[in-house]
Amino acid sequence: MNKQEMIVRHKLFDRLCHWTIVVVGLVTFLTGFSFFYPSFQWLGGIVGTPQLAKVLHPFLGLRCVCCWGCY
């Protein structure tokens, strides 16, 4: 299939927003889950230390909401 026959279903901006929401939303969910249930505190380690997770969690949540608003 050549370039002229290709159909662009979604623009690059839409795809980038979609995957940013997926990745940031998943990380935010997992860090929040580790705060809510102490037995899953090891999930906060996906962003580094638990202290770093507590700092990044609100900013990642805002990033997710902002991308969702642009999408």
Side-chain angles (χ1 to χ4, degrees), residues 7-67:
I7 298 172
V8 179
R9 297 175 87 187
H10 300 284
K11 296 177 186 174
L12 178 64
F13 178 75
D14 293 336
R15 286 181 279 163
L16 289 175
C17 278
H18 171 80
W19 286 110
T20 301
I21 291 169
V22 169
V23 171
V24 172
L26 184 64
V27 171
T28 305
F29 171 76
L30 292 176
T31 55
F33 198 73
S34 72
F35 301 150
F36 195 70
Y37 295 107
S39 59
F40 290 103
Q41 192 171 14
W42 57 272
L43 285 173
I46 62 170
V47 293
T49 62
Q51 293 82 10
L52 184 61
K54 287 190 179 196
V55 170
L56 288 180
H57 180 81
F59 293 111
L60 291 174
L62 286 174
R63 173 72 177 173
C64 188
V65 169
C66 288
C67 275

